[in-house]
């Protein structure tokens, strides 16, 4: 079975402060990890995926297979970063096929001015 | 590009009736579409995966006779909640991708309220 855990439901920081949203996963095979973001009243959209190793809007995330983590980081948070962030995993184990996403519970990030 | 729409955005129906929700990929051909359900303040839960022209694959615990999924074309998938009950009230979200392993693009969601 695959599982994604985001231990923080709420995270508050001040503008300009570093931010780290935690994500841990459980998966027996080779995972693909994603971060999705949902701004207020908008649809879910892909922020980044680990295989592309991109930095989007200043956010980065490194897959740590030893710690089974995929934490999302940004050195200087901005007010417009306030949103709901979901960590998600895609993989294959047993009868599960690639492409299916398992989402974490989500973390609401609030960046104060 | 890669826009996915859902219709309706919200629907209220009486218990016992059926409700159809449409998911459309507007500017790309979606070989695979996914249907999720989201409870208040909860995460998205995958209900089923549908590939164009074939039967949907349902997740464990999801009743396929209750939630009928049709993916008859590369731009349209429908979810029909049959004989809806109040416990079916939820936020239903679809996503579409160009292939099973490709990036999923999400629709805006449909709020269903069953009275």
């Amino acid at each position: 079975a695959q599982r994604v855990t985001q231990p923080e439901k709420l995270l508050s920081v001040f503008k300009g402060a570093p931010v780290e949203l935690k994500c841990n996963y459980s998966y027996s095979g080779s995972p693909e990890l994603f971060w999705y973001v949902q701004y207020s009243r908008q649809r879910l959209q892909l922020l980044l995926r680990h295989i592309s190793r991109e930095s989007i809007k200043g956010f980065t995330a490194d897959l740590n297979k030893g710690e089974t983590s995929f934490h999302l980081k940004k050195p200087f948070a901005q007010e417009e970063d306030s949103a709901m962030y979901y960590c998600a995993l895609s993989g294959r184990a047993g009868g599960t096929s690639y492409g299916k996403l398992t989402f974490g519970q989500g973390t609401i990030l609030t960046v104060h001015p | 590009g890669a826009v996915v729409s859902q219709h309706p955005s919200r629907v209220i129906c009486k218990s016992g009736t059926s409700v159809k929700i449409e998911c459309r990929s507007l500017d790309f051909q979606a070989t695979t579409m996914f249907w999720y359900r989201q409870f208040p303040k909860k995460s998205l839960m995958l209900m089923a995966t549908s590939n164009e022209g074939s039967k949907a694959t349902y997740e464990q615990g999801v009743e396929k006779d209750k939630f009928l999924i049709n993916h008859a074309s590369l731009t349209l998938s429908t979810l029909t909640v049959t004989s809806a009950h109040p416990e079916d009230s939820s936020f239903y979200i679809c996503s579409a991708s160009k292939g099973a392993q490709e990036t999923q693009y999400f629709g805006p969601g449909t709020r269903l309220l069953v009275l």
Side-chain angles (χ1 to χ4, degrees):
Chain A
Q2 50 196 60
R3 181 178 295 175
V4 177
T5 304
Q6 292 178 250
E8 304 142 326
K9 287 188 177 180
L10 302 170
L11 184 62
S12 291
V13 299
F14 285 100
K15 177 183 175 181
V19 63
E20 180 180 69
L21 290 86
K22 291 184 168 52
C23 172
N24 288 91
Y25 67 90
S26 173
Y27 183 64
S28 58
S30 181
E32 185 171 2
L33 275 297
F34 306 80
W35 276 99
Y36 282 84
V37 61
Q38 188 171 28
Y39 300 102
S40 180
R41 300 184 184 279
Q42 295 187 26
R43 70 188 65 194
L44 206 61
Q45 55 185 288
L46 179 65
L47 181 63
L48 55 81
R49 56 197 301 178
H50 89 270
I51 60 171
S52 63
R53 301 187 66 81
E54 298 177 285
S55 172
I56 307 295
K57 299 185 179 183
F59 285 97
T60 59
D62 290 318
L63 179 61
N64 186 322
K65 292 188 177 181
E67 296 182 357
T68 59
S69 68
F70 188 58
H71 303 327
L72 183 68
K73 301 177 184 179
K74 186 170 183 177
F76 307 104
Q78 303 299 314
E79 290 179 69
E80 54 266 30
D81 295 329
S82 296
M84 170 74 97
Y85 291 80
Y86 290 99
C87 182
L89 178 151
S90 174
R92 176 159 54 194
T96 313
S97 58
Y98 279 121
K100 292 168 50 170
L101 290 172
T102 298
F103 284 87
Q105 295 286 79
T107 297
I108 299 174
L109 173 65
T110 303
V111 181
H112 299 285
Chain B
V3 179
V4 176
S5 70
Q6 280 184 243
H7 178 81
S9 58
R10 59 181 65 191
V11 57
I12 301 174
C13 69
K14 292 182 179 179
S15 184
T17 61
S18 294
V19 175
K20 180 183 284 188
I21 302 170
E22 293 185 348
C23 176
R24 293 182 184 271
S25 57
L26 299 184
D27 52 2
F28 68 100
Q29 293 186 325
T31 305
T32 306
M33 287 186 170
F34 302 85
W35 286 95
Y36 296 85
R37 183 171 179 177
Q38 186 175 33
F39 293 98
K41 299 184 180 180
K42 297 287 186 181
S43 186
L44 285 79
M45 182 191 74
L46 180 65
M47 298 175 66
T49 303
S50 74
N51 291 296
E52 186 267 336
S54 61
K55 289 184 179 180
T57 302
Y58 290 80
E59 294 300 298
Q60 191 173 13
V62 179
E63 299 175 61
K64 60 182 179 182
D65 294 329
K66 173 77 172 174
F67 299 99
L68 300 179
I69 292 172
N70 184 280
H71 191 169
S73 79
L74 285 171
T75 59
L76 173 66
S77 176
T78 60
L79 167 68
T80 300
V81 183
T82 62
S83 186
H85 290 284
E87 57 264 31
D88 298 325
S89 298
S90 193
F91 195 54
Y92 293 89
I93 303 171
C94 76
S95 71
S97 66
K98 299 173 185 176
Q101 300 182 42
E102 300 291 324
T103 298
Q104 292 183 35
Y105 299 95
F106 285 79
T110 296
R111 177 83 56 196
L112 170 64
L113 177 61
V114 184
L115 302 176

